[in-house]
């Protein structure tokens, strides 16, 4: 059995070494650390002796890094940062700060405000890991009911569930510009549209809601995400209802066309942020939920 590694140096020695470099010399570092200059000299000398390398050269009253010292300084600062983060994490966990947060986001919702919230949360995260999951329709419902995640962004509030408005999404009926439906100059009826192949995204619930998601066409192809639907759609196959934030660039370059359906077919959805168990959400979750709502209102 390999004997366990035992460090020769101490974290305090590395911190003193860093301070001497950062403050430009032993005297300056001693003043900032409220220690004697001789104790700092001794600590760095002992560190160099233990390692068998020279980290600093003193010229006049100033200490200069050797090439080896430059490498060791960078690595030691990472070590100090990791120790600091570890201590902060321990204190945070003791205060109830969650080590992990799980967020389910329905596929119709744009990820832009969520990513913005993640970026804003990172400096305050204290090591909390974020798990971001995609769900569709029934999958979002189940995530709320079975409490498998901490919070859910969904366009449909299940009965008896409360949520705060997160955003709006408009689902648009679209086809590729060379599709037969795109060639019809006048408005088309929904009965005419559903005679064609419909491309849909799979309901991720264990018991899919076939009456939700615009599933009127007899011939349907089902995919795991909107990106796959787009790829097939752009080949001139079928029609689909797609979120406006996804389809916008394709409508702009006219590779896709919005169908003009009699009576109107675009549907605007309100999305909500649902906290699955508000009474059990800790400080990290509360902070992240607040940031999510703030970012959802920004444009």
């Amino acid at each position: 059995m390999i004997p366990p590694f035992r460090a020769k140096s101490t974290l305090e020695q590395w911190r003193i070494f860093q301070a001497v470099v950062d403050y430009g010399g032993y005297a300056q570092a001693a003043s900032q650390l409220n220690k004697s200059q001789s104790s700092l000299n001794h600590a760095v000398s002992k560190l160099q002796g233990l390692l068998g390398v020279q980290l600093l050269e003193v010229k006049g009253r100033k200490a200069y890094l050797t090439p080896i010292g430059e490498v060791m300084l960078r690595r030691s600062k990472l070590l100090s940062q990791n120790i600091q983060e570890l201590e902060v994490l321990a204190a945070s966990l003791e205060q109830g700060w969650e080590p992990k947060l799980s967020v389910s986001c329905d596929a119709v919702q744009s990820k832009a405000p969520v990513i913005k919230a993640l970026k804003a949360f990172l400096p305050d995260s204290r090591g909390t890991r974020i798990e971001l999951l995609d769900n569709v329709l029934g999958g979002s419902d189940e995530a709320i009911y079975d409490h498998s995640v901490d919070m859910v962004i969904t366009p449909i509030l299940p009965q008896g569930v409360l949520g705060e408005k997160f955003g709006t999404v408009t689902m648009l009926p679209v086809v590729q510009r060379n599709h037969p439906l795109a060639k019809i100059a006048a408005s088309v009826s929904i009965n005419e549209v559903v005679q064609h192949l419909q491309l849909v995204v799979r309901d991720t619930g264990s018991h899919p809601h076939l009456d939700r998601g615009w599933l009127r066409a007899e011939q349907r192809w089902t995919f795991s995400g909107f990106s796959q639907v787009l790829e097939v759609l752009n080949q001139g196959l079928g029609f689909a209802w797609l979120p406006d934030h996804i389809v916008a660039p394709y409508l702009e370059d006219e590779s896709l066309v919005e169908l003009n359906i009699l009576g109107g077919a675009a549907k605007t959805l309100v999305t909500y942020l649902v906290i699955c168990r508000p009474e059990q959400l800790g400080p990290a979750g509360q902070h992240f939920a607040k940031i999510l709502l703030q970012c959802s209102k920004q444009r």
Side-chain angles (χ1 to χ4, degrees), residues 200-213:
V200 301
V201 174
R202 182 178 65 88
D203 187 326
T204 55
S206 56
H207 303 288
H209 296 270
L210 296 181
D211 59 338
R212 282 158 51 171

Side-chain angles (χ1 to χ4, degrees), residues 15-248:
R15 285 175 170 165
I16 289 173
F17 164 59
Q18 293 163 17
V20 172
V21 175
D22 291 343
Y23 295 118
Y26 286 96
Q28 299 91 321
S31 174
Q32 293 292 328
L33 298 178
N34 198 26
K35 293 178 179 288
S36 68
Q37 184 173 339
S38 60
S39 68
L40 268 59
N41 268 293
H42 176 73
V44 175
S45 295
K46 186 174 181 180
L47 178 62
Q48 293 180 131
L50 289 169
L51 298 175
V53 296
Q54 188 173 4
L55 303 174
L56 294 172
E57 290 180 308
V58 179
K59 298 178 182 179
R61 294 186 176 182
K62 194 170 176 74
Y64 294 89
L65 281 168
T66 65
I68 292 176
E70 290 181 1
V71 175
M72 301 304 284
L73 178 67
R74 289 196 298 271
R75 296 297 297 269
S76 69
K77 285 193 171 183
L78 286 174
L79 173 65
S80 297
Q81 182 181 343
N82 288 338
I83 292 295
Q84 181 180 350
E85 290 175 353
L86 191 62
E87 292 175 352
V88 169
L89 177 59
S92 299
L93 293 176
E94 193 275 331
Q95 297 168 8
W97 189 274
E98 303 98 303
K100 175 184 173 183
L101 292 172
S102 295
V103 183
S104 168
C105 185
D106 195 285
V108 300
Q109 170 63 51
S110 168
K111 296 298 189 298
V114 180
I115 293 170
K116 188 180 294 184
L118 289 171
K119 183 177 180 180
F121 177 70
L122 181 59
D124 304 328
S125 63
R126 306 186 194 180
T128 296
R129 293 176 289 119
I130 300 287
E131 183 180 43
L132 185 62
L133 307 172
D134 272 333
N135 270 309
V136 178
L137 296 173
S140 296
D141 292 357
E142 290 177 9
I144 293 171
Y145 283 134
D146 63 21
H147 301 157
S148 60
V149 298
D150 297 295
M151 53 193 80
V152 177
I153 299 171
T154 176
I156 300 172
L157 282 178
Q159 187 174 3
V161 173
L162 300 177
E164 291 201 54
K165 181 182 176 182
F166 189 79
T168 57
V169 180
T170 301
M171 302 296 293
L172 301 174
V174 292
V175 293
Q176 199 256 3
R177 62 185 174 192
N178 294 319
H179 189 277
L181 287 171
K183 303 296 184 181
I184 301 175
S187 298
V188 296
S189 69
I190 189 65
N191 290 329
E192 188 174 2
V193 172
V194 297
Q195 300 305 311
H196 294 264
L197 170 68
Q198 183 174 9
L199 312 179
V200 301
V201 174
R202 182 178 65 88
D203 187 326
T204 55
S206 56
H207 303 288
H209 296 270
L210 296 181
D211 59 338
R212 282 158 51 171
W214 306 277
L215 302 178
R216 286 192 57 188
E218 286 300 321
Q219 189 178 11
R220 298 191 299 271
W221 288 358
T222 303
F223 302 88
S224 62
F226 286 117
S227 59
Q228 294 174 329
V229 171
L230 270 172
E231 287 184 32
V232 177
L233 202 64
N234 277 313
Q235 296 302 312
L237 297 172
F239 71 95
W241 268 267
L242 294 178
D244 52 356
H245 60 86
I246 291 178
V247 79

